[in-house]
């Protein structure tokens, strides 16, 4: 009976799920929007959960990985595991997946590169270090139809190598150039000019990007290829004024009468707080003008006293408060600190507590709790050693993340170390210490 039939209602959610699961992945594998121009953005992670969240945004051309990123995502560095990743990336709409060959020697890199790319040489790009062995391997793989990206690039002269060997991509590490005291932006812009000057087609794919402004600056200089972390991808959409305008539009669509509110001016302190890690341009930390009185600045220029290094003391709390005001952009929430760890290969975590403090300060009822992978360099010992202690902290030439039990002692350590570290070495603290870190379900260890 036709009259007794109930029409089936198809909701927008059902349509969306159908498109995401069937039509869109197939379309994504076949079509790249021409309005993108020559731009190619890559998502720099091996975490499939992040792919599932971010690739549907439609801004990414593909995904880049390396053995360090595989390790962080708990993916074995094996051929079967890499081939499974390729299947997952292409199913989610990625047009390219970059996998890094391993083995060290020329023959081993060639063999690994051939095996990694074997399932799909149109879409799998093989990364090789721009070393003699890596370049020699590239010279064999490229004529065999294997697409090549030379990686771990730090110097403009390496652009000459990439063009000469016929590499499709060259990946310079912007953030790590800054860590080494170099002007990474200028170096990468020179690489771009070298490729154009030689009439080459190698794409300079800027990597190790720590803030969105660096993307904009390099794009304005003519670069069109970038790989960046999920944190940077999310930061591209993080604008409170855009969110406010979007909310007004939605309210109007729902029939509400809401007038847009003019944006409030951002205070200098809030602007400093919002500055991303690495945005200081590679300069050693200094006290921001006007943030402290002259007397307060003088107090921070002196090494911490024994009282200022005694947990719970009024002196420690006072110096910690001054440090927070002097270096607001260096105080990271646990989640901000964890994202920094995820984005950086060469970061050093330092526990600044004494042995006694580690054993007597209970974290959720347990002694000797520390952030996973932290080195132990007590602040008291560093102060006793004097300025040479800063050299020991920065010996790895990369960012330093300080932690204590609940925050104040690491802030005191920040006030001591920040002016002593060489230019380009950046030091941060975990706000709330390992207690706040564990409260956010981040990885800890018992030491």
């Amino acid at each position: 009976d036709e009259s007794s039939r109930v029409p089936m209602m198809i909701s927008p959610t059902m349509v969306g799920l159908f498109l995401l699961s069937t039509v869109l992945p197939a379309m994504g594998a076949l079509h790249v929007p021409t309005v993108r121009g020559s731009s190619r953005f890559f998502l720099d992670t091996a975490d499939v959960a992040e792919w599932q969240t971010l690739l549907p945004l439609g801004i990414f051309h593909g995904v880049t990985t390396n053995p360090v990123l595989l390790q962080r995502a708990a993916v074995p560095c094996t051929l079967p595991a890499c081939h499974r990743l390729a299947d997952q990336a292409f199913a989610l709409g990625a047009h390219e997946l970059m996998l890094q060959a391993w083995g060290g020697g020329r023959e081993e890199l060639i063999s690994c590169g051939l095996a990694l790319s074997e399932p799909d040489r149109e879409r799998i790009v093989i990364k090789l270090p721009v070393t003699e062995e890596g370049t020699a391997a590239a010279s064999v793989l490229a004529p065999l139809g294997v697409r090549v990206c030379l990686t771990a690039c730090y110097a403009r002269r390496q652009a000459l190598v990439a063009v000469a060997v016929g590499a499709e991509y060259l990946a310079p590490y912007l953030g790590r150039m800054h860590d080494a005291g170099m002007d990474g932006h200028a170096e990468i812009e020179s690489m771009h000019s070298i490729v154009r000057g030689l009439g080459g087609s190698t794409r300079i794919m800027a990597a190790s990007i720590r803030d969105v402004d660096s993307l904009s600056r390099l794009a304005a200089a003519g670069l069109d290829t970038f790989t960046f972390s999920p944190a940077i991808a999310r930061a591209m959409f993080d604008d409170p004024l855009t969110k406010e305008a979007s909310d007004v539009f939605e309210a109007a669509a729902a029939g509400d009468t809401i007038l847009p509110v003019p944006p409030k001016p951002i205070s200098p302190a809030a602007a400093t707080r919002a500055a991303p890690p690495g945005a200081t341009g590679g300069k050693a930390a200094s006290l921001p003008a006007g943030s402290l009185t002259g007397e307060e600045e003088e107090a921070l220029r002196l090494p911490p006293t024994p009282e200022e290094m005694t947990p719970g003391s009024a002196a420690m709390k006072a110096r910690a408060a001054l440090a927070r005001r002097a270096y607001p952009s260096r105080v990271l929430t646990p989640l901000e600190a964890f994202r920094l760890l995820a984005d950086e290969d060469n970061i050093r975590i330092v526990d600044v507590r004494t042995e006694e403090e580690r054993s007597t300060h209970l974290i959720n009822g347990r002694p000797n709790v520390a952030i996973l992978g932290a080195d132990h360099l007590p602040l008291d010992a560093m102060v006793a050693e004097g300025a040479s202690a800063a050299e020991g902290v920065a010996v790895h030439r990369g960012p330093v993340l300080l932690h204590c039990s609940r925050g104040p002692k690491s802030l005191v350590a920040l006030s001591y170390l920040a002016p002593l570290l060489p230019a380009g070495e950046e030091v941060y603290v975990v706000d709330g210490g390992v207690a706040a870190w564990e409260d956010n379900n981040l990885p800890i260890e018992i030491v």
Side-chain angles (χ1 to χ4, degrees):
D1 183 358
E2 295 289 333
S3 62
S4 65
R5 290 185 180 177
V6 178
M8 182 176 70
M9 302 299 291
I10 302 178
S11 70
T13 300
M14 293 173 62
V15 173
L17 290 173
F18 173 75
L19 289 173
L20 284 173
S21 63
T22 57
V23 179
L24 293 183
M27 291 176 61
L30 297 173
H31 174 64
V32 179
T34 56
V35 291
R36 283 185 182 173
S38 61
S39 69
R40 288 188 188 177
F41 293 171
F42 291 84
L43 187 58
D44 197 29
T45 180
D47 186 338
V48 175
E50 294 284 22
W51 298 358
Q52 292 168 336
T53 300
L54 295 172
L55 288 181
L57 289 173
I59 67 173
F60 290 104
H61 182 77
V63 173
T64 56
T65 69
N66 61 43
V68 173
L69 294 178
L70 294 179
Q71 186 179 57
R72 287 180 183 166
V75 176
C77 194
T78 63
L79 289 175
C82 289
H83 291 163
R84 284 192 296 271
L85 275 184
D87 291 340
Q88 291 170 298
F90 299 145
L92 289 167
H95 301 283
E96 294 179 16
L97 171 67
M98 295 198 187
L99 298 169
Q100 185 157 337
W102 61 86
R106 171 182 177 275
E107 298 304 323
E108 291 82 3
L109 290 172
I110 293 171
S111 176
C112 186
L114 288 170
L116 282 172
S117 62
E118 192 275 332
D120 193 334
R121 296 227 162 101
E122 291 294 320
R123 294 186 290 178
I124 294 177
V125 180
I126 299 303
K127 296 172 71 177
L128 295 160
V130 59
T131 58
E132 290 185 14
E133 294 80 4
T135 304
S139 72
V140 173
L141 291 171
L144 295 176
V146 176
R147 301 173 66 188
V148 169
C149 170
L150 291 182
T151 190
C153 171
Y154 285 86
R156 65 187 71 185
R157 62 181 176 274
Q158 292 168 320
L160 299 168
V161 175
V163 173
V165 81
E168 187 171 345
Y169 295 92
L170 176 66
Y173 291 169
L174 175 65
R176 296 188 209 169
M177 289 180 186
H178 288 318
D179 291 341
M182 303 166 62
D183 184 342
H185 291 98
E187 201 73 17
I188 291 175
E189 290 167 18
S190 292
M191 294 178 194
H192 177 69
S193 298
I194 288 170
V195 171
R196 298 299 169 264
L198 294 176
S201 58
T202 300
R203 285 178 175 265
I204 304 299
M205 182 177 70
S208 185
I209 293 171
R210 297 173 182 167
D211 61 89
V212 178
D213 286 345
S214 289
L215 285 172
S216 303
R217 176 174 169 177
L218 290 172
L223 279 91
D224 58 10
T225 307
F226 305 91
T227 183
F228 45 87
S229 69
I232 295 297
R234 291 186 173 91
M236 294 178 74
F237 297 93
D238 185 14
D239 190 295
L241 299 182
T242 299
K243 177 65 167 62
E244 181 181 343
S246 176
D247 290 344
V248 169
F249 296 149
E250 290 299 324
D256 297 334
T257 302
I258 298 179
L259 295 177
V261 179
K264 297 178 181 178
I266 299 176
S267 69
T272 304
R273 171 68 182 169
T280 57
K283 297 179 180 178
S286 59
L287 300 183
S291 63
L292 301 177
T293 67
E295 184 178 344
E296 289 170 334
E297 289 184 5
E298 285 300 321
L300 279 193
R301 287 193 180 100
L302 297 173
T305 65
E307 291 76 17
E308 289 173 329
M309 294 185 288
T310 301
S313 69
M316 171 177 279
K317 293 176 182 177
R319 180 153 183 149
L322 288 181
R324 185 183 292 275
R325 287 167 51 202
Y327 304 104
S329 66
R330 303 304 181 91
V331 183
L332 307 181
T333 68
L335 290 178
E336 288 171 338
F338 187 69
R339 291 192 190 105
L340 182 67
L341 290 176
D343 293 343
E344 293 293 333
D345 295 338
N346 197 34
I347 190 166
R348 185 183 190 188
I349 311 170
V350 175
D351 183 349
V352 300
R353 299 170 296 174
T354 64
E355 286 286 3
E356 181 182 359
E357 290 163 1
R358 298 210 297 185
S359 63
T360 58
H361 293 183
L362 301 184
I363 308 299
N364 292 326
R366 293 174 298 173
N368 298 310
V369 178
I371 292 177
L372 182 65
D375 294 330
H376 185 215
L377 292 174
L379 172 61
D380 310 60
M382 287 191 278
V383 172
E385 291 177 21
S388 62
E391 298 176 5
V393 170
V395 68
H396 74 302
R397 300 188 65 81
V400 178
L401 181 64
L402 307 176
H403 89 78
C404 60
S405 295
R406 290 179 172 80
K409 189 158 193 174
S410 57
L411 282 164
V412 174
L414 168 68
S415 73
Y416 177 62
L417 289 173
L420 297 178
L421 292 178
E425 304 294 346
E426 297 170 336
V427 58
Y428 304 96
V429 301
V430 179
D431 201 10
V434 70
W437 183 271
E438 187 176 28
D439 286 345
N440 281 269
N441 297 314
L442 298 175
I444 54 100
E445 62 182 341
I446 305 299
V447 295

